[in-house]
Amino acid sequence: MSIKEANKTLFDARKSFKDYIEYKQISVDELANYIGKTPSYVYQLLGGQANNRQAYVYVNKLFTYTNYDGENWLEL
């Protein structure tokens, strides 16, 4: 897979989750409260700027909380 294709795959995965939480009408504030972080941090997760091991854990927690069944865009 080329870098361009990989970037598109990551973008699509993040967008799918953003679209899902918007469809379910789940606010960033609610997600932040659930994981005990700030809304700013949640935006970093959703945008891919937070990308360490702990970010991976938080993204999975958000998936569980929202019942989302997509792929985590962060590597463990």
Side-chain angles (χ1 to χ4, degrees):
M1 175 182 298
S2 72
I3 291 174
K4 186 176 181 179
E5 292 169 325
N7 285 336
K8 171 110 172 68
T9 299
L10 293 172
F11 174 84
D12 290 344
R14 291 189 303 263
K15 183 165 180 358
S16 291
F17 185 59
K18 289 179 197 175
D19 290 346
Y20 177 81
I21 61 174
E22 184 177 318
Y23 171 74
K24 291 290 198 173
Q25 298 180 345
I26 302 169
S27 72
V28 170
D29 289 335
E30 181 180 345
L31 297 175
N33 187 48
Y34 177 74
I35 62 172
K37 293 290 187 180
T38 64
S40 175
Y41 184 75
V42 173
Y43 283 117
Q44 289 175 24
L45 287 174
L46 299 178
Q49 291 84 26
N51 56 12
N52 57 25
R53 180 177 297 271
Q54 195 60 40
Y56 176 86
V57 171
Y58 285 130
V59 169
N60 281 329
K61 284 183 179 183
L62 295 179
F63 284 2
T64 300
Y65 179 70
T66 61
N67 295 314
Y68 183 70
D69 63 356
E71 298 270 338
N72 191 330
W73 54 87
L74 300 171
E75 290 188 26
L76 183 59

